[in-house]
Amino acid sequence: MTDTLPEGTVDLAIWQGVATVTFNRPQARNAMTWAMYQQLSRHCEAFKVDASVRAVVFRGAGGQAFVAGTDIEQFTRFETGDDGVAYEAQIEACIDLLCSLPMPTVALIEGWAVGGGLAIATACDFRLATPGSQLGVPIAKTLGNCLSVANVARLSAAFGPQRVKRMLMLAEMVGADEALACGYLHQLAEPSDIDAATNALVQRLTSLAPVTQQVSKQALNRLVQHAAPEAEDLIRQAYGSEDFHEGVNAFVAKRKPLWKGR
């Protein structure tokens, strides 16, 4: 990914009370730029006060990826651990907005959901995926950075702690079958059927009691938030490390990073 790639957009369409948010940067597997995160936040702010929206579907354009993380090129501008703290705070504010939406949310995953993309999908209430989808946060192999503790807590609640250790410490990707078996995914559907399967789920959700759905999801969110103490020191340690800068430089140069543990 380079600066020559288009910035991308986060597109919105609303039809009969169902909003569809599309991450539209398929030439970069929908990797998120700062501008795209800002667009996503604005959409979520609007949904919070729009009672006509009964459900929101999030998906990636192109059929190859949901979101393949944050555009790595942007990290080349980071100088200190404080840059990482500011970045994680910005991302967490966006993810928290998505989590706090009062209506049901559904992630339609085709292909890769990686890093920030997995965080977005995990913030949704339900997830459907195609059989070939791959889910993970392989930062121990790529960048040498970290996630916010809030995002780690959400992943742990959704996948289970041992599976998240495999993702974060072994840089393993989790396939769609395993994600379905552990309850992370609501359903698998072939690419030709996933739109219909998503629509069927949305119709079920919008036929049920909205207030019950709202208070139930907020109760679950509070449980996850309770398990996520402040940990800026950990973020500063990771983003301020020599290994993080090595990881970014190696990724941009398309070579294997040389980890030094400092």
Side-chain angles (χ1 to χ4, degrees):
M1 290 170 286
T2 69
D3 290 333
T4 61
L5 288 175
E7 276 284 303
T9 55
V10 180
D11 301 333
L12 172 63
I14 300 177
W15 175 253
Q16 296 184 341
V18 177
T20 300
V21 175
T22 303
F23 304 104
N24 191 1
R25 199 174 178 232
Q27 70 283 351
R29 290 185 174 175
N30 304 317
M32 297 285 281
T33 62
W34 303 152
M36 291 173 71
Y37 279 118
Q38 291 165 1
Q39 291 174 44
L40 175 59
S41 293
R42 287 195 294 269
H43 291 322
C44 289
E45 290 281 12
F47 295 148
K48 289 184 72 172
V49 296
D50 188 349
S52 69
V53 175
R54 290 293 315 281
V56 185
V57 176
F58 296 87
R59 68 183 307 167
Q64 300 300 309
F66 179 71
V67 170
T70 299
D71 188 336
I72 306 305
E73 184 73 21
Q74 298 173 128
F75 291 129
T76 61
R77 304 177 183 91
F78 282 26
E79 296 180 355
T80 70
D82 288 332
D83 293 322
V85 170
Y87 162 72
E88 290 294 342
Q90 176 185 346
I91 301 308
E92 177 52 35
C94 180
I95 299 297
D96 188 61
L97 263 176
L98 201 167
C99 278
S100 66
L101 291 179
M103 69 286 294
T105 54
V106 178
L108 190 167
I109 301 170
E110 298 174 279
W112 299 89
V114 180
L118 188 63
I120 292 170
T122 304
C124 294
D125 299 312
F126 297 91
R127 292 160 289 274
L128 296 87
T130 52
S133 295
Q134 292 287 316
L135 317 170
V137 192
I139 51 180
K141 182 168 62 176
T142 55
L143 296 187
N145 61 332
C146 68
L147 298 181
S148 71
V149 172
N151 273 322
V152 173
R154 293 186 189 102
L155 288 174
S156 183
F159 280 103
Q162 197 59 38
R163 194 169 279 104
V164 175
K165 285 183 179 180
R166 286 169 46 203
M167 288 181 174
L168 295 177
M169 300 176 69
L170 285 171
E172 287 188 6
M173 301 296 290
V174 171
D177 288 339
E178 182 179 355
L180 179 67
C182 76
Y184 180 80
L185 293 177
H186 175 74
Q187 184 179 347
L188 288 183
E190 294 296 332
S192 59
D193 300 325
I194 195 165
D195 284 323
T198 302
N199 290 337
L201 174 60
V202 168
Q203 292 305 310
R204 286 180 60 193
L205 289 167
T206 56
S207 71
L208 300 172
V211 175
T212 297
Q213 292 172 333
Q214 292 171 21
V215 299
S216 297
K217 69 179 290 184
Q218 292 308 318
L220 290 166
N221 285 341
R222 291 182 188 184
L223 289 174
V224 173
Q225 291 166 358
H226 182 71
E230 288 294 327
E232 283 191 4
D233 59 319
L234 302 179
I235 296 170
R236 188 172 287 106
Q237 179 181 347
Y239 281 92
S241 68
E242 291 182 23
D243 276 358
F244 169 66
H245 293 287
E246 164 64 11
V248 172
N249 292 333
F251 189 96
V252 173
K254 298 181 179 180
R255 61 172 174 81
K256 187 176 180 179
L258 299 174
W259 306 120
K260 298 181 179 178
R262 59 178 186 266

